Amino acid sequence: MYALIYDDHHLDQTQKKVISVHAGRDESDKALSKRQNELGKKVWECNTRIVWTDKAVAAGDVLLTTEFVTWRPGEDIPEGELNSDSD
């Protein structure tokens, strides 16, 4: 399942709070856009990201960083996400 998690990019914090849970990437993209609009911030300012997990979770639960990945196994990854922005 896909989840929106609160991620403030502190690598030493291995627990991430689940904001919402979604069946598909499109649904989670819409939820991220809605959150962005509600907060009045850019995506990177929302401290929110979409992740994939096999673990059954609900909003308010906590995921360990070892329990999720950015892309669902076998999912088509957009070309722009395959390479880093730096040289």
Side-chain angles (χ1 to χ4, degrees):
M1 74 180 55
Y2 293 91
L4 290 185
I5 61 168
Y6 181 78
D7 188 3
D8 55 8
H9 308 291
H10 289 109
L11 299 177
D12 59 330
Q13 295 177 356
T14 60
Q15 296 182 344
K16 306 296 179 179
K17 184 177 179 181
V18 176
I19 298 168
S20 59
V21 178
H22 309 278
R25 173 125 350 230
D26 290 341
E27 186 181 327
S28 57
D29 282 333
K30 289 177 187 174
L32 180 57
S33 292
K34 181 179 177 184
R35 179 170 167 77
Q36 173 189 347
N37 291 335
E38 288 172 353
L39 295 174
K41 297 182 177 184
K42 304 288 184 195
V43 171
W44 59 88
E45 297 172 322
C46 292
N47 291 327
T48 307
R49 66 186 267 217
I50 300 169
V51 297
W52 166 259
T53 183
D54 285 329
K55 184 178 177 180
V57 294
D61 288 350
V62 173
L63 280 172
L64 297 175
T65 55
T66 57
E67 297 175 321
F68 64 83
V69 293
T70 301
W71 300 97
R72 179 179 50 85
E75 183 175 16
D76 290 333
I77 302 171
E79 184 68 32
E81 299 291 328
L82 292 174
N83 303 306
S84 68
D85 292 336
S86 62
D87 291 333

